[in-house]
Amino acid sequence: MSSPTRQIHLAAHFPGVNNTTVWSDPRSGSHIAFESFVHFARTAERAKFDFLFLAEGLRLREQRGRIHDLDVVGRPDTFTVLAALAAVTDRLGLAGTINSTFNEPYEVARQFASLDHLSDGRAAWNVVTSWDAFTGENFRRGGFLAEEQRYERAELFLRTASELFDSWRGDEIVADKESGVFLADAKAGAFEHHDAHFDISGQFTVPRSPQGRPVIFQAGDSDAGREFAARSADAIFSRHSTFDAGQAFHADVKRRLARYGRAPEDLLVLPAATFVLGDTDAQARERAEEVRRQQVSGATAIQFLEQVWNRDLGDHDPDGPLPEVDPQPGENTVAQGRASVRMYEDRLATARRWREIAEAGKLTTRELVIEVSGRQAFVGSPATVADTINRFVQARAADGFILVPHITPAGLDEFADTVVPLLQERGVFRADYTGTTLRDHLGLAPVPGWPVHAV
Amino acid sequence: MTGPTAPGELRLAVALDGCGWHPAAWREPDARPRELFSGRYWTELVQEAERGRLDFVTIEDTLALQSSRYDGPDGRVDQVRGRLDAVLVAARAAPRTRAIGLVPTVVVTHTEPFHVAKAVATLDHVSSGRAGVRVRVRAGRDEAAHFGRRDLPPARPADLFDEAADYVEVMRRLWDSWEDDAEIRDVATGRFIDRDKLHHIDFAGRWFSVRGPSIVPRPPQGQPLVTALAHAAVPYRFAAGSVDLVHVTPRDAADAARILRDLRAEQAAAGRLAESLRVFADLVVFLDDAEGRAAARRARLDELAGREFRSDAAVFAGTPAGLADVLEEWAGAGIDGFQLRPAGVPTDLTAITRGLVPELRRRGLVPPEYGAGTLRGLLGFPRAANRYAAAPPEPAAT
Ligand SMILES: Cc1cc2nc3c(=O)[nH]c(=O)nc-3n(C[C@H](O)[C@H](O)[C@H](O)COP(=O)(O)O)c2cc1C
């Protein structure tokens, strides 16, 4: 390869509340107990990962009006877990998903600036925009936001929060005991912001944090989401982990940057990636099949089918063929609080395609669901996985990956012990941290205006 | 249960804020004003409180810059300004401590009960049952302007306390919205939870409606401790109806007895039993082993501040033994425990943990070790029953 070797970024996604996470395995531990988070974070830090990532959903998922009970359900509060993890890690970045619809900028800016202080510069904010009225039922304003306004609000929310982060320059606290001057500027933190969504003014309470502001992530796929990322984010969390889709997505969002006066290296593309390792490629493939069967039980296959069919299929046999009846068009009334609903918007076309696959392969319903509901991004021996990840990054299918293990909390251990050393040997992943902040790890330029005072 | 504490025992907490409660305390030689925004600073203070076997710390907070005025910033530059979020500070200290209760302050007027309930539940998970929350109402126009969502103060100030009561009710329901054994991991049926043990809370009130359930499983204590500071009739009514522990500010033992009478009357009116509410008295303390030195320090700090120190709480300046006498007297009036506000940190914090506590221990007024594993346990509360759990079947008549 003629161009210089690209360095890989790696991050660890704490296993989430969907069927990727296998809870039925005997090795599966608590996804709530703090020890699980400590185990996971320490593995990621031992492996010199860039950051740990927490997703968030503000309403438990429901299917046909009942709380969905087949996957892991429930998770702890993002900010609280990350602040506690700051006490048991030293370098690992701490990235939290926080919604821009059911929060207010003053409070969120305060929380992220506090986290950045308490972690000595390791905070990141994944700005997500879920707006639905179903989630809104847990909040003061209810489902107040129209779908098409979600990124408008996110954009203004982030702009407002950035003004709050910038409201302290960083040199205000002098704390001179002799003269009795604590603050060099009585107006420290002063701000005023008026737009269609936020009409606020006053003084912000948190002095400028070590990174100036948290690293900003975006995790949406729509055109509006990509524009938002190109304009305002430091990194994109994408779902395009295959080679071709990854390259296309990578090129697409990097192309959008110039419009905002930004360079390609100002925005990192980090797809979510699952993985299964084995001593040999064949063993890994076998294990991967087994994991897929764990992830898609018969009951899970039926509920998955219901999301596309938009019907009650409670009596359907998962070990028989697909239902004869076609999906019900119109508003999806079956599943609420989940992103996958929108992934299959053309339900009739999806059903037609699935019937073809099932007939061709003589697949039962459950087998079909296993077939179509996504497979692990990286399957193989440590050497194969290391080479594949490296090939993807060198070919710009990604700038790195946010790894999503399927076992809590030890699902990252094997990767840390076997794949990471190979990447380090190949000189494409850091042998140790060279900086202290998350911006350092990600190779992002310091936020303008920071640091204000030379030490 | 016989009562909140073993006979003759009293409970102790400290209120942490900046470099201490005197506005000039940051200028003391041992003060660390430049470290106020670091995790290490707060962790070390909580660890010191834990060395003194204090029952809990509270962490002060508001959603505005500190001010000597009630209605907005005062423009002063000679006092500590700026604060970190108290819940995050408490969470940062949790893994580095093992037994002390952690009670951050949360403003309820501008925040979401759903978010705060899950944050406090999570603090309880990360601290293995040591979380509480001190709820606080804020009527200021300046703080309201930070959110731009409501006009304050309201026409009827008591509305803010009625809203706070709804807020606490929503938090409590959310904490109960998962039964303890909701997670079943039943491989045979493929079910991770028993959804009959998760509950929509369906709260609908004047200020907000919340559907639930929480996204966080029930916290280890069942119900983390809820506290509030109260100075007058309306907040007494709120506290008597809603919280587990109320901080009050008596001037002396007789005043303490009067406040207790008012509180108990409100409690009875709210239909709550006396033992469901702990009453703690707040005092600002300047401590020194040598007679007269604490008062001299107070005078010196007042001079630096340019005015005499005043507080909503009684101010004590003297020796740890002298303070122990006061606490003993107030405890005799029926006060369950004390929240001391150290005038200067670390001086008065270490005087509490290394001077006052040994003195109280000599008098047999505080236990030598942490006994209970949870904050509720330290305060003599049983683990909270779940309002949604089906009552256990009656034992069959024999
Ligand atoms: C990889 C990935 C991860 C996501 N994680 C979350 C999450 O943790 N919480 C959330 O509320 N939304 C999450 N989202 C969804 C979106 O951010 C959000 O729902 C948004 O409205 C969808 O944006 P879009 O229309 O641009 O795709 C995620 C999306 C992607 C692609």
Side-chain angles (χ1 to χ4, degrees):
Chain A
M1 216 173 288
S2 55
S3 53
T5 311
R6 285 157 48 81
Q7 288 294 307
I8 296 169
H9 294 283
L10 290 176
H13 185 304
F14 193 84
V17 294
N18 48 52
N19 75 308
T20 300
T21 306
V22 173
W23 54 260
S24 55
D25 192 287
R27 294 167 301 164
S28 163
S30 171
H31 56 281
I32 299 295
F34 188 56
E35 299 89 83
S36 290
F37 290 88
V38 174
H39 180 126
F40 195 72
R42 290 209 165 128
T43 302
E45 189 164 76
R46 168 163 64 82
K48 316 299 178 193
F49 274 30
D50 294 52
F51 58 92
L52 173 147
F53 185 96
L54 297 183
E56 180 182 76
L58 295 171
R59 175 123 186 224
L60 298 184
R61 293 161 16 183
E62 292 184 9
Q63 184 139 341
R64 285 193 279 121
R66 306 186 67 192
I67 290 166
H68 178 61
D69 59 359
L70 302 178
D71 299 337
V72 165
V73 181
R75 54 185 151 200
D77 179 63
T78 302
F79 283 120
T80 313
V81 169
L82 294 180
L85 285 176
V88 298
T89 53
D90 291 318
R91 289 289 180 270
L92 185 67
L94 302 167
T97 298
I98 293 292
N99 175 283
S100 58
T101 304
F102 303 109
N103 282 296
E104 295 297 329
Y106 192 90
E107 196 185 3
V108 168
R110 212 168 168 265
Q111 289 165 316
F112 272 115
S114 296
L115 179 63
D116 204 42
H117 278 289
L118 293 169
S119 64
D120 300 309
R122 298 187 278 140
W125 172 15
N126 178 35
V127 185
V128 296
T129 59
S130 303
W131 72 94
D132 54 289
F134 175 74
T135 304
E137 285 181 347
N138 283 334
F139 297 98
R140 286 178 184 259
R141 299 179 74 186
F144 70 96
L145 193 67
E147 174 173 359
E148 59 277 11
Q149 285 189 337
R150 70 193 191 284
Y151 278 108
E152 174 189 313
R153 181 170 164 106
E155 189 69 47
L156 295 173
F157 193 114
L158 183 56
R159 190 177 304 163
T160 309
S162 299
E163 287 168 22
L164 295 170
F165 295 134
D166 286 343
S167 67
W168 291 69
R169 294 183 309 270
D171 58 354
E172 292 91 343
I173 294 181
V174 289
D176 180 5
K177 294 182 181 179
E178 205 54 47
S179 66
V181 175
F182 183 85
L183 216 52
D185 177 2
K187 288 274 166 227
F191 68 92
E192 182 153 357
H193 183 105
H194 308 283
D195 65 39
H197 289 267
F198 307 106
D199 183 16
I200 64 175
S201 62
Q203 262 177 300
F204 190 53
T205 65
V206 187
R208 196 169 183 85
S209 73
Q211 294 188 107
R213 59 168 168 79
V215 173
I216 303 298
F217 283 75
Q218 187 271 351
D221 207 24
S222 61
D223 189 64
R226 294 178 191 206
E227 276 313 296
F228 172 75
R231 196 160 44 221
S232 310
D234 299 307
I236 293 196
F237 179 29
S238 98
R239 61 168 75 95
H240 302 287
S241 59
T242 59
F243 190 85
D244 292 342
Q247 271 192 330
F249 183 80
H250 191 273
D252 177 79
V253 294
K254 300 265 176 171
R255 199 181 309 116
R256 294 170 192 250
L257 288 166
R259 204 173 310 163
Y260 305 103
R262 305 181 73 201
E265 62 273 17
D266 293 342
L267 178 69
L268 298 173
V269 177
L270 305 174
T274 50
F275 60 91
V276 177
L277 298 166
D279 292 342
T280 62
D281 288 351
Q283 190 197 45
R285 274 194 301 272
E286 228 168 83
R287 275 203 202 174
E289 285 304 310
E290 193 183 309
V291 171
R292 293 295 295 138
R293 280 192 298 273
Q294 288 178 307
Q295 289 169 330
V296 185
S297 66
T300 295
I302 295 299
Q303 65 90 30
F304 188 85
L305 209 62
E306 283 180 342
Q307 290 169 33
V308 174
W309 256 249
N310 195 23
R311 295 178 183 279
D312 178 352
L313 299 173
D315 292 333
H316 185 71
D317 176 10
D319 296 320
L322 286 175
E324 312 245 306
V325 60
D326 269 330
Q328 176 150 313
E331 192 199 346
N332 193 313
T333 53
V334 164
Q336 290 194 280
R338 36 193 324 163
S340 54
V341 172
R342 291 187 304 133
M343 281 169 59
Y344 300 105
E345 261 161 332
D346 188 349
R347 289 190 287 266
L348 286 171
T350 303
R352 218 173 304 122
R353 192 157 44 78
W354 286 7
R355 287 194 199 290
E356 282 162 21
I357 298 171
E359 271 155 40
K362 305 223 177 322
L363 302 179
T364 65
T365 296
R366 182 175 174 211
E367 287 164 347
L368 181 273
V369 172
I370 289 174
E371 179 69 26
V372 298
S373 66
R375 51 199 55 238
Q376 297 91 354
F378 302 117
V379 177
S381 68
T384 299
V385 169
D387 287 341
T388 311
I389 288 177
N390 191 30
R391 180 167 60 86
F392 276 45
V393 171
Q394 300 311 329
R396 296 174 204 274
D399 295 316
F401 291 95
I402 300 181
L403 297 171
V404 189
H406 59 271
I407 297 283
T408 310
L412 197 63
D413 296 11
E414 193 180 358
F415 189 98
D417 293 332
T418 63
V419 181
V420 168
L422 295 176
L423 293 172
Q424 289 167 330
E425 253 169 48
R426 287 159 173 69
V428 292
F429 188 67
R430 68 175 70 82
D432 201 353
Y433 294 107
T434 52
T436 58
T437 68
L438 177 54
R439 294 193 79 83
D440 291 340
H441 307 338
L442 294 171
L444 296 167
V447 172
W450 181 89
V452 170
H453 53 283
V455 189
Chain B
M1 204 176 52
T2 54
T5 51
E9 271 190 6
L10 51 84
R11 300 281 171 234
L12 272 190
V14 286
L16 298 177
D17 187 21
C19 294
W21 287 74
H22 192 290
W26 67 270
R27 299 179 63 181
E28 288 283 270
D30 57 358
R32 295 154 61 189
R34 300 191 68 96
E35 295 172 46
L36 283 174
F37 304 97
S38 75
R40 201 176 76 182
Y41 178 81
W42 294 98
T43 302
E44 287 177 6
L45 296 192
V46 180
Q47 285 172 335
E48 179 60 33
E50 187 170 71
R51 269 192 290 277
R53 202 229 161 267
L54 303 188
D55 292 299
F56 62 89
V57 296
T58 56
I59 299 161
E60 285 297 303
D61 206 4
T62 66
L63 293 166
L65 213 56
Q66 298 93 324
S67 176
S68 50
R69 297 177 17 188
Y70 278 108
D71 53 348
D74 58 8
R76 294 186 76 135
V77 296
D78 64 335
Q79 301 178 357
V80 168
R81 292 291 179 267
R83 269 196 189 110
L84 300 179
D85 181 275
V87 174
L88 272 72
V89 168
R92 176 68 172 74
R96 300 279 182 180
T97 50
R98 53 175 189 88
I100 192 166
L102 302 164
V103 184
T105 303
V106 162
V107 172
V108 298
T109 309
H110 302 293
T111 57
E112 292 282 355
F114 190 86
H115 285 318
V116 171
K118 78 176 150 56
V120 175
T122 302
L123 182 63
D124 208 41
H125 282 290
V126 303
S127 66
S128 305
R130 297 185 284 130
V133 58
R134 176 205 160 192
V135 295
R136 182 169 197 177
V137 158
R138 298 282 289 179
R141 196 168 306 183
D142 59 320
E143 218 158 303
H146 292 163
F147 290 82
R149 304 215 44 78
R150 65 199 295 176
D151 286 326
L152 289 181
R156 187 177 163 270
D159 277 357
L160 291 178
F161 288 93
D162 291 347
E163 179 183 348
D166 280 2
Y167 196 110
V168 172
E169 172 68 15
V170 166
M171 290 201 297
R172 290 191 183 287
R173 289 194 195 177
L174 287 169
W175 291 331
D176 278 350
S177 65
W178 290 57
E179 295 183 36
D180 291 320
D181 50 358
E183 185 177 314
I184 52 171
R185 295 190 185 226
D186 185 36
V187 178
T189 58
R191 292 176 310 143
F192 180 76
I193 49 158
D194 176 353
R195 59 182 160 204
D196 294 335
K197 294 190 170 177
L198 265 60
H199 303 274
H200 291 117
I201 69 164
D202 286 325
F203 180 90
R206 250 178 89 190
W207 292 275
F208 40 74
S209 301
V210 178
R211 174 98 164 108
S214 178
I215 58 167
V216 185
R218 194 154 189 256
Q221 295 183 100
Q223 294 276 317
L225 190 78
V226 181
T227 82
L229 173 67
H231 299 102
V234 169
Y236 287 165
R237 188 169 314 138
F238 158 66
S242 295
V243 307
D244 304 305
L245 186 153
V246 58
H247 298 285
V248 296
T249 52
R251 288 183 308 275
D252 52 35
D255 197 27
R258 180 192 59 79
I259 291 171
L260 277 161
R261 267 196 309 279
D262 290 356
L263 276 169
R264 296 305 179 201
E266 291 289 1
Q267 247 184 295
R272 286 179 80 204
L273 299 173
E275 63 263 27
S276 63
L277 181 69
R278 303 285 177 272
V279 182
F280 270 46
D282 271 30
L283 287 113
V284 181
V285 297
F286 298 80
L287 296 171
D288 197 295
D289 285 334
E291 206 63 58
R293 280 243 293 271
R297 179 155 51 90
R298 177 183 180 180
R300 185 163 48 76
L301 285 171
D302 282 358
E303 193 161 322
L304 284 174
R307 68 186 192 96
E308 193 193 332
F309 176 69
R310 281 164 203 273
S311 172
D312 55 322
V315 181
F316 176 89
T319 63
L323 178 57
D325 292 342
V326 172
L327 303 190
E328 213 170 339
E329 188 198 350
W330 291 22
I335 293 290
D336 299 311
F338 298 89
Q339 167 157 277
L340 304 177
R341 306 180 187 173
V345 167
T347 306
D348 295 305
L349 175 61
T350 50
I352 292 166
T353 55
R354 300 171 196 199
L356 174 69
V357 168
E359 176 63 30
L360 292 172
R361 207 169 282 157
R362 269 192 292 281
R363 300 184 188 194
L365 294 174
V366 294
E369 300 290 344
Y370 285 106
T374 66
L375 176 55
R376 291 180 66 89
L378 288 174
L379 295 167
F381 286 116
R383 187 168 189 277
N386 190 328
R387 72 198 61 204
Y388 298 112
E394 296 281 325
T398 47

